[in-house]
Amino acid sequence: MALPPPLPVMELLLLLLPLALLAGAATPPQPLPLPVPADPPLPAQPPDALFAAGAEAYARGDWPAVVLQMERALRARAALRSRLARCRLRCANATAGPPEDEEEGTEPQPDPVLRDLRFFRGLLRRAACLRGCGPAAPSRYRLSEELEREFGRRSPYNYLQVAYFKMNRPAQAAAAAHTFFVANPGHQEMRQNLEYYQAMVGVREEDFTDLEAKPHLSEFRLGVRFYSEEQPAAAILHLEKALEEYFVADAECRALCEGPYDYEGYNYLEYNADLFQAITDHSMQVLSCKQGCVTELASQPGREKPLEDFLPSHFNYLQFAYYNNGNYEKAIECAKTYLLFFPHDEVMNQNLAYYTAVLGENLARPIQPREDIRVYRQQSLMEKELLFFSYDVFGIPFVDPDTWTPEEVIPKRLREKQKAERETAARISEEIGNLMKEIETLVEEKAKESADMSKFIREGGPLGYEGASVTMNSRALNGSQRVVVDGVLSAEECRELQRLTNAAASAGDGYRGKTSPHTPSETFYGVTVLKALKLGQEGKVPLRSAHLYYNVTEKVRRMMESYFRLEAPLHFSYSHLVCRTAIDEKQEGRSDNSHEVHVDNCILNAEALVCVKEPPAYTFRDYSAILYLNGDFEGGAFYFTELDAKTQTAEVQPQCGRAVGFSSGSENPHGVKAVTKGQRCAIALWFTLDPRHSERERVQADDLVKMLFGTEEGDLEPEQEPPAAVVVGKDEL
């Protein structure tokens, strides 16, 4: 009995293999191959070895070596990625084209076995070409996943900013710090360092540049900026350049997807897929990665979500920019290109109709969408069809990165399944959300009751200094973790510190020179402990007064630790001796505060009655204190409120030697009423329980005091710590 013919391999592969591999299959018109430059030479050392050498140099404090090795590591990684992408593109271009029989003008053989063999012949030739893309010893240049994540997080720039700082090269340190911070906006220490660099002599605004900026995103942002500023010619220039750079980046991203198979949870030794399943698994993984380039290219470092519809949006901006520039032909071309993605967009169709009417139907009709975009869309849709097919049949997950994908591309069964899953997920999410709100309300109520009782019980420790006494505790102040202490300073000490402020303080200190940072009706002057000590060392102010300032802040810190019975020591987060002076001619009709109600470690939303503990708030602050130097002024009372920022719970009148201490969280919203006459001076202090957020200036002040007053010497800067720079003085009280 005759056996049935074998199932042709190509029938499956035509459905499943990436389009770039389907030589001889019916494929859409392909864009012209991108010119591929010659491969850059391999680096002398691999990036992992260079990174390790830089980390070792950092540990021993060899700052020039840190810069040398980390810069080399960054260049080596970039060179390897570029070399691999270019080589893969070159191999794709070199092995592209119809089968040899078609080149000779003969009819292709219908025999499925021969067709399969021709296909695999092209595949083998491409694989042979790709063997030359790596070095002789590939493992030597293959970064581990962990180290690749370090480069992805831009960790080398964290090392570099410290090294440049230690080498007294602040401009380069600022650039490295900014580059790291762009990708890590929640990194609080780097935020402080950037604020410190901004205040340094020799650092300019243009030094804060992203050294890893993606060219297509930079050009896009410039184009959008000029578009918003109604400069259409400049917008067109940068948006067109952004498109050009986008496709260069897209080609590189897609080429880098063609790597080894990621087993994603499979045990390598137990993976036993047959030929077709193995081809399907790997090819769909590569194809899904290539679709993911849409998200990769639209992602901005440090942002959770990519720019939606990034590629189509270029043409939305361009069509209107060309219209404003008087070029109706290009406006029509861009409008039609945008409509390739969103054919039913009402506004764009109206724009197109208007441009057509102005230019004339005869001239407008022949204008077509851009060919390269038409081909890109057609290729993308075919990729999506394959991926959705494999999702529907084999269960290989695929998340479409685009919102413009036509519904008909998705198999009907999968559409219905996804719709049911979305509805179920939404229902479950809503039910869980409601339940969580109920639980959170109950927990918050119980926790508040428990915390209030606990705090009342715990606070009340000894102050430890003769003459100081508690005037008001939390109960008297109608809150928790609050205290007013009198007798911290003598009258003469208050006058001496006030004279120091007037001699040493500078306008807008801590606020980049803004003389009225909180209200236009008052001027603001301040000086930090370190600055006062340095001025004393230079003989510009009495050194004794600067030393008194230093000692008084330490006295308040110890009082806070003892009174609130803290189990861990407090560390200075920021210290500021400040004076607010009423501007006489600006008091009439005044209705604002000297400092509006706020919370020291979270962002207060008074309308929603919540305080969000996340950057840019100084979330590491745990306790705050204000030590007043005088009371001979009008207004300027300190007050606590509820979370609504309106309901006042307690008020404290400043006077010489009076200190107010409190925890820095949402339980203690506070503000300062308007200073309507005279000058109000105080020392504002913030503390943290986390030594990692200890103020760098304080460490330097400690060392300077040891040097000036003959006590035990200490290191000026710990060798292996990044410069946790001065925190700019926000929220002075």
Side-chain angles (χ1 to χ4, degrees):
M1 185 173 66
L3 294 172
L7 178 68
V9 177
M10 283 302 294
E11 289 186 12
L12 181 63
L13 292 180
L14 282 170
L15 287 173
L16 300 177
L17 283 177
L19 298 176
L21 301 180
L22 297 181
T27 57
Q30 297 296 312
L32 292 173
L34 291 170
V36 182
D39 296 341
L42 285 168
Q45 289 180 279
D48 49 359
L50 292 165
F51 183 90
E56 290 171 5
Y58 183 89
R60 65 176 183 268
D62 186 352
W63 310 120
V66 173
V67 170
L68 179 67
Q69 301 298 349
M70 286 298 177
E71 293 280 13
R72 284 179 174 176
L74 289 165
R75 289 195 297 270
R77 177 175 177 268
L80 287 176
R81 287 171 61 87
S82 177
R83 188 179 194 279
L84 181 59
R86 291 178 182 182
C87 184
R88 286 177 176 171
L89 288 170
R90 188 180 66 250
C91 289
N93 292 341
T95 56
E100 289 180 3
D101 289 345
E102 291 185 18
E103 289 178 351
E104 295 169 3
T106 61
E107 289 293 325
Q109 296 293 328
D111 184 82
V113 175
L114 290 176
R115 186 174 61 184
D116 291 349
L117 290 173
R118 289 196 187 95
F119 167 76
F120 281 108
R121 179 175 60 192
L123 200 65
L124 288 170
R125 287 175 176 171
R126 185 161 176 181
C129 177
L130 290 169
R131 289 189 68 186
C133 290
S139 61
R140 180 169 172 251
Y141 290 90
R142 193 170 294 163
L143 291 176
S144 67
E145 288 185 12
E146 182 179 354
L147 196 55
E148 188 61 51
R149 284 194 295 271
E150 289 295 321
F151 278 98
R153 289 194 294 262
R154 302 187 177 182
S155 293
Y157 290 99
N158 198 356
Y159 288 92
L160 283 168
Q161 66 96 16
V162 178
Y164 279 126
F165 175 80
K166 298 284 188 178
M167 295 168 65
N168 197 27
R169 295 167 65 181
Q172 290 92 333
H178 180 79
T179 301
F180 177 83
F181 186 72
V182 166
N184 303 273
H187 199 282
Q188 193 61 44
E189 290 88 347
M190 195 61 74
R191 180 189 297 276
Q192 294 177 23
N193 291 348
L194 283 170
E195 291 173 344
Y196 180 70
Y197 293 139
Q198 286 171 345
M200 289 185 74
V201 176
V203 179
R204 301 166 301 172
E205 191 67 31
E206 53 266 33
D207 291 327
F208 296 91
T209 183
D210 183 3
L211 301 175
E212 293 283 334
K214 300 174 182 177
H216 67 281
L217 279 172
S218 298
E219 292 291 343
F220 179 77
R221 282 193 289 265
L222 279 172
V224 172
R225 193 189 84 192
F226 284 120
Y227 175 91
S228 303
E229 294 173 356
E230 298 184 359
Q231 298 184 50
I236 290 167
L237 179 69
H238 289 286
L239 288 169
E240 292 287 11
K241 182 64 176 176
L243 281 170
E244 180 184 327
E245 294 288 353
Y246 180 93
F247 284 107
V248 172
D250 183 64
E252 179 174 305
C253 178
R254 285 171 159 268
L256 291 173
C257 284
E258 296 169 0
Y261 182 59
D262 182 354
Y263 285 87
E264 295 184 301
Y266 286 118
N267 184 319
Y268 176 81
L269 297 176
E270 295 177 1
Y271 182 73
N272 59 358
D274 62 20
L275 171 65
F276 303 116
Q277 187 61 52
I279 291 173
T280 300
D281 288 345
H282 198 167
S283 58
M284 290 302 100
Q285 191 176 92
V286 170
L287 206 57
S288 183
C289 174
K290 290 184 175 183
Q291 279 282 303
C293 289
V294 170
T295 302
E296 170 68 21
L297 269 60
S299 296
Q300 303 178 87
R303 304 286 180 88
E304 290 185 6
K305 294 182 179 180
L307 296 167
E308 192 173 76
D309 304 320
F310 182 52
L311 179 60
S313 69
H314 286 70
F315 296 98
N316 193 1
Y317 286 111
L318 279 169
Q319 58 90 21
F320 203 70
Y322 275 119
Y323 158 70
N324 283 326
N325 209 39
N327 192 332
Y328 286 91
E329 291 86 352
K330 297 296 280 186
I332 290 172
E333 178 192 62
C334 291
K336 288 184 176 180
T337 304
Y338 181 85
L339 290 169
L340 287 174
F341 299 99
F342 301 102
H344 305 297
D345 186 282
E346 185 177 350
V347 173
M348 191 61 70
N349 277 298
Q350 290 174 357
N351 288 355
L352 179 59
Y354 174 78
Y355 303 151
T356 301
V358 173
L359 187 64
E361 182 70 30
N362 292 337
L363 294 175
R365 190 185 305 111
I367 300 173
Q368 297 298 316
R370 295 192 181 182
E371 179 64 14
D372 56 343
I373 304 300
R374 188 191 67 79
V375 172
Y376 170 89
R377 176 182 176 276
Q378 190 170 351
Q379 176 180 308
S380 183
L381 287 177
M382 292 191 72
E383 290 176 348
K384 294 177 195 292
E385 287 178 5
L386 297 179
L387 286 161
F388 279 124
F389 178 86
S390 67
Y391 188 5
D392 187 33
V393 175
F394 302 110
I396 301 174
F398 169 59
V399 179
D400 191 353
D402 294 309
T403 64
W404 54 263
T405 304
E407 193 176 67
E408 57 269 19
V409 172
I410 308 172
K412 183 178 180 182
R413 182 173 61 178
L414 193 57
R415 287 203 305 269
E416 293 171 351
K417 179 184 176 184
Q418 289 178 334
K419 182 181 178 182
E421 287 175 349
R422 283 195 299 270
E423 291 173 350
T424 302
R427 187 179 68 254
I428 293 173
S429 178
E430 184 179 2
E431 292 173 356
I432 291 174
N434 293 334
L435 181 61
M436 289 302 295
K437 285 179 182 177
E438 293 177 9
I439 294 172
E440 285 174 5
T441 302
L442 289 172
V443 170
E444 284 176 4
E445 289 175 355
K446 294 294 182 184
K448 189 174 186 302
E449 293 174 8
S450 174
D452 288 348
M453 290 302 297
S454 167
K455 288 172 180 176
F456 282 134
I457 293 169
R458 286 185 57 81
E459 68 182 65
L463 296 177
Y465 287 91
E466 186 178 351
S469 61
V470 174
T471 306
M472 301 175 77
N473 60 13
S474 290
R475 288 190 185 278
L477 292 165
N478 301 312
S480 63
Q481 295 280 279
R482 301 174 179 177
V483 67
V484 175
V485 178
D486 282 339
V488 180
L489 293 172
S490 68
E492 178 53 37
E493 287 173 329
C494 286
R495 286 192 291 271
E496 184 173 352
L497 289 172
Q498 197 169 0
R499 287 194 297 270
L500 174 67
T501 314
N502 291 323
S506 55
D509 184 67
Y511 290 88
R512 301 184 191 176
K514 295 180 181 178
T515 55
S516 302
H518 301 300
T519 169
S521 302
E522 300 172 16
T523 57
F524 180 96
Y525 283 75
V527 62
T528 62
V529 173
L530 180 61
K531 182 179 177 182
L533 286 167
K534 286 183 175 179
L535 290 172
Q537 182 186 22
E538 295 167 2
K540 295 179 180 178
V541 299
L543 184 57
R544 177 179 175 278
S545 300
H547 194 205
L548 172 63
Y549 177 15
Y550 172 88
N551 287 332
V552 164
T553 60
E554 180 62 27
K555 183 177 183 179
V556 174
R557 184 188 69 80
R558 292 180 181 177
M559 280 186 179
M560 295 281 288
E561 274 183 2
S562 180
Y563 180 79
F564 289 113
R565 300 183 190 273
L566 301 178
E567 296 175 357
L570 287 175
H571 303 272
F572 288 96
S573 169
Y574 191 59
S575 313
H576 214 189
L577 174 53
V578 298
C579 287
R580 304 164 186 265
T581 305
I583 301 173
D584 293 337
E585 60 270 21
K586 294 188 178 181
Q587 299 306 313
E588 187 176 349
R590 181 179 176 185
S591 59
D592 63 345
N593 279 332
S594 180
H595 198 139
E596 298 299 337
V597 174
H598 59 280
V599 178
D600 285 346
N601 70 6
C602 55
I603 302 169
L604 179 61
N605 184 338
E607 292 182 2
L609 300 180
V610 295
C611 202
V612 182
K613 198 169 183 179
E614 63 181 29
Y618 296 105
T619 56
F620 48 84
R621 290 177 175 174
D622 294 301
Y623 282 86
S624 308
I626 314 100
L627 175 59
Y628 298 108
L629 305 183
N630 67 320
D632 55 343
F633 52 86
E634 294 180 9
F638 174 90
Y639 65 105
F640 291 107
T641 72
E642 298 286 1
L643 274 176
D644 62 5
K646 297 176 182 177
T647 308
Q648 182 173 312
T649 58
E651 182 174 295
V652 179
Q653 290 295 334
Q655 66 180 44
C656 166
R658 171 170 287 178
V660 181
F662 51 94
S663 56
S664 304
S666 59
E667 65 277 6
N668 283 319
H670 55 277
V672 179
K673 294 184 178 180
V675 178
T676 56
K677 187 175 182 180
Q679 184 184 66
R680 175 191 189 270
C681 295
I683 299 175
L685 303 161
W686 292 270
F687 306 101
T688 178
L689 293 167
D690 187 346
R692 294 175 300 174
H693 294 286
S694 179
E695 181 188 15
R696 173 51 114 205
E697 271 209 13
R698 187 68 188 199
V699 177
Q700 295 175 336
D702 292 340
D703 291 337
L704 188 54
V705 166
K706 290 174 186 177
M707 182 187 73
L708 292 173
F709 298 96
T711 55
E712 184 182 7
E713 289 188 0
D715 293 333
L716 182 61
E717 295 173 344
E719 285 295 315
Q720 299 180 28
E721 289 294 324
V726 178
V727 182
V728 172
K730 295 180 180 178
D731 301 340
E732 269 84 0
L733 302 165

